[in-house]
Amino acid sequence: MITGSEMAVVDENAAAIGIPRKQLMESSGHAVARAVRDVADAGASVRVVAGRGNNGGDAFVAVRFLDDFDVTTSLLGRPETITTDIARENWDALAAGEYDTETVRDSSAFELDGPDVVVDAMLGTGIAGDLREPERTAAAAIDASDATVVSVDVPSGMDAERGVLAETAVEADRVVTFHDTKPGLADLDAEVTVADIGIPAAAERFVERGDLMRLDDRDPGSHKGQNGEVLVIGGGPYAGAPALSAKAALRAGADLVRVACPMVVGRELQGFGEDLIVRPYQGKQLEPKQVGYLLQMARHHDTVVIGPGLGDEEDTLEAVEGVLSGYSGTAVVDADALSRVPNVDTEADLICTPHQGEFAEMGGRVTDDWEQRTDIVERFAADLGQTVLVKGEYDVVSDGETTRVNRTGNAGMTVGGTGDVLAGITGALAATERPVHAAAMAVYANGKAGDRAYERRNNGLVATDLHEEIPAVLWTDRGGEA
């Protein structure tokens, strides 16, 4: 089963790996036409009632496969308001082919005229709630008719996220849904067909630009802190690592990023940027006596990133365990802090970001075969009860249920600090997204930023080069086909 929003991600990922949405629409329309043939004989009258989105576009394609039926296509709205290029192209193809079409601009004038079959293609998986006009009037007419009703993907008026059917929804006799079933379809008094439209498994396995569709555009009315506050607990032996993480979190959209670090490196950290808020504590390294102070601070943040630059002193790792055991929010765990994860008892949602060497130290089995590694990481994450992101040429992300593989990145990213950047991006995205999705999007964005930087710097790439590329990857270049 797949929700409407997840299906949008898969569609876009399919386009990213070379299967255009127009091709998928052609396959979808053919599947709808087959469903019509299953419920009626050639020569039967068919009324296609179509909306202005891709759901309607699927139906426009279906019409071209029903030349031996008496088909009339009703578009609810003006052709110039069709919302996607591919749906508009398929509407224009009907006009060029002189198919019987009409536009409905006044819902009070809508009439079905007693067809044998109605194809309900008004609204698809992206719409929820009670129907508005003209769809409301059209749905009432469809429900009142004696026609066999074939709905495209979901009945118009079904919420494909929650599986809830609006009171004004179309009552389908048959539903042709695409790629996978949707929430709520099994509860309908209707025959449901899942049509294979040629989306490969890779569109769900590999992280691609479609995954970034999960990120909402920033609300113009939002206030400071609403888009995420991140606390980075790092530094001591190393000052650069927590700075790299903190700057990456800001570039990935967090409103506020604070760095809790030993006082000995606090001034140096502040020098990395005026937009970093440094919260120093006494001492040269993290020690158990700072745990209470850090937990109090952590409770006022959406996510914590712990590990960058902390070092591996026993007192430091004991303090890490104290922070994790006392924290109940979302934490990204990186670097030396990872060694304490397998044995810690915590209510926190952890996102662990080891490279393969660190994964082995956590108890994971290492292999160069990425497909075998996928299974290993999935089982390890399930046993741990947390999200695990194992870095490599093929990065693997799993929470034990959802498992994704990322292919962005390059050999230039073997330089120090790129993992710290990844931890910061993950912390920012985890402030608003589910851990497994945040980790998948973060590792994709980190690698993509590295790819963009590598085009300019080649083997001279350094971790700070990624910072400038992160916003473009996450916010500017995430759009796909119309």
Side-chain angles (χ1 to χ4, degrees):
M1 183 181 296
I2 190 168
T3 65
S5 59
E6 289 298 310
M7 191 66 223
V9 168
V10 171
D11 278 345
E12 185 59 36
N13 282 350
I17 62 177
I19 300 109
R21 288 195 177 192
K22 188 172 183 178
Q23 182 175 326
L24 298 179
M25 183 173 283
E26 195 74 12
S27 297
S28 300
H30 199 181
V32 173
R34 289 197 301 270
V36 171
R37 293 183 178 280
D38 286 344
V39 299
D41 295 327
S45 58
V46 178
R47 175 65 68 92
V48 174
V49 185
R52 295 172 292 116
N54 282 342
N55 198 251
D58 295 334
F60 301 152
V61 170
V63 172
R64 293 190 279 104
F65 290 98
L66 295 172
D67 279 347
D68 51 342
F69 287 76
D70 178 14
V71 183
T72 299
T73 303
S74 300
L75 173 65
L76 302 184
R78 303 187 306 277
E80 59 269 24
T81 64
I82 292 175
T83 58
T84 70
D85 293 341
I86 53 175
R88 189 178 304 110
E89 289 172 9
N90 280 299
W91 170 260
D92 291 343
L94 296 185
E98 297 193 4
Y99 286 88
D100 184 9
T101 64
E102 65 172 17
T103 58
V104 179
R105 304 189 185 195
D106 179 0
S107 59
S108 64
F110 180 81
E111 293 183 1
L112 278 179
D113 299 326
D116 298 310
V117 179
V118 172
V119 175
D120 158 37
M122 296 186 292
L123 300 171
T125 57
I127 305 297
D130 283 336
L131 301 184
R132 301 177 182 179
E133 296 296 352
E135 290 82 11
R136 188 185 186 102
T137 294
I142 293 170
D143 289 345
S145 75
D146 294 327
T148 300
V149 180
V150 177
S151 286
V152 177
D153 212 5
V154 295
S156 295
M158 170 165 276
D159 181 342
E161 296 301 306
R162 300 179 299 142
V164 176
L165 203 63
E167 290 185 8
T168 53
V170 168
E171 297 175 4
D173 297 300
R174 184 160 184 167
V175 179
V176 183
T177 196
F178 308 125
H179 183 63
D180 200 350
T181 191
K182 311 301 184 303
L185 290 183
D187 299 326
L188 298 179
D189 185 18
E191 182 179 346
V192 178
T193 300
V194 178
D196 182 351
I197 58 173
I199 295 176
E204 292 188 80
R205 167 173 278 192
F206 295 119
V207 189
E208 285 288 350
R209 66 173 186 243
D211 285 82
L212 302 183
M213 295 173 66
R214 295 189 175 93
L215 297 175
D216 293 328
D217 291 325
R218 187 165 295 197
D219 183 351
S222 62
H223 54 76
K224 186 187 295 184
Q226 191 171 324
N227 300 290
E229 295 190 37
V230 179
L231 175 65
V232 178
I233 300 174
Y238 310 99
L244 287 168
S245 294
K247 295 283 281 188
L250 286 168
R251 290 296 188 182
D255 279 345
L256 296 167
V257 180
R258 298 175 180 88
V259 183
C261 62
M263 192 168 289
V264 69
V265 296
R267 187 172 299 174
E268 187 178 351
L269 261 168
Q270 190 66 76
F272 282 104
E274 299 85 350
D275 40 15
L276 298 183
I277 304 170
V278 179
R279 292 287 184 261
Y281 49 79
Q282 294 289 338
K284 295 183 178 181
Q285 65 185 44
L286 177 61
E287 297 176 329
K289 63 185 178 182
Q290 281 100 28
V291 169
Y293 167 73
L294 294 175
L295 284 174
Q296 185 177 5
M297 195 186 313
R299 293 186 183 103
H300 299 285
H301 292 76
D302 297 295
T303 53
V304 168
V305 177
I306 185 168
L310 283 178
D312 60 357
E313 292 291 330
E314 182 60 30
D315 279 354
T316 296
L317 297 182
E318 184 180 336
V320 166
E321 191 166 340
V323 171
L324 295 179
S325 63
Y327 185 56
S328 59
T330 300
V332 179
V333 187
D334 190 40
D336 292 310
L338 288 162
S339 65
R340 291 304 174 103
V341 168
N343 298 319
V344 74
D345 183 11
T346 181
E347 295 181 4
D349 291 319
L350 304 183
I351 304 174
C352 305
T353 58
H355 55 61
Q356 289 209 67
E358 292 165 334
F359 183 57
E361 291 175 5
M362 293 176 70
R365 185 164 64 86
V366 174
T367 175
D368 291 332
D369 186 314
W370 68 267
E371 291 182 290
Q372 290 182 18
R373 192 186 318 139
T374 299
D375 295 333
I376 292 167
V377 174
E378 184 175 283
R379 288 195 298 270
F380 186 89
D383 291 342
L384 190 64
Q386 304 288 359
T387 299
V388 178
L389 190 175
V390 178
K391 296 172 284 192
E393 183 180 1
Y394 281 59
D395 310 293
V396 179
V397 180
S398 183
D399 62 359
E401 295 182 359
T402 299
T403 301
R404 309 295 304 284
V405 178
N406 176 62
R407 300 180 290 183
T408 61
N410 56 79
M413 293 177 67
T414 57
V415 299
T418 56
D420 301 309
V421 172
L422 171 60
I425 300 172
T426 308
L429 300 186
T432 58
E433 305 294 329
R434 281 179 52 198
V436 70
H437 293 328
M441 289 187 287
V443 73
Y444 172 86
N446 189 63
K448 200 72 171 177
D451 290 341
R452 291 167 63 103
Y454 192 71
E455 289 178 4
R456 295 185 292 107
R457 306 292 190 189
N458 204 284
N459 290 330
L461 178 153
V462 294
T464 51
D465 292 330
L466 275 63
H467 286 152
E468 297 303 314
E469 306 294 346
I470 294 167
V473 172
L474 286 176
W475 309 110
T476 306
D477 298 341
R478 61 188 172 126
E481 296 180 296

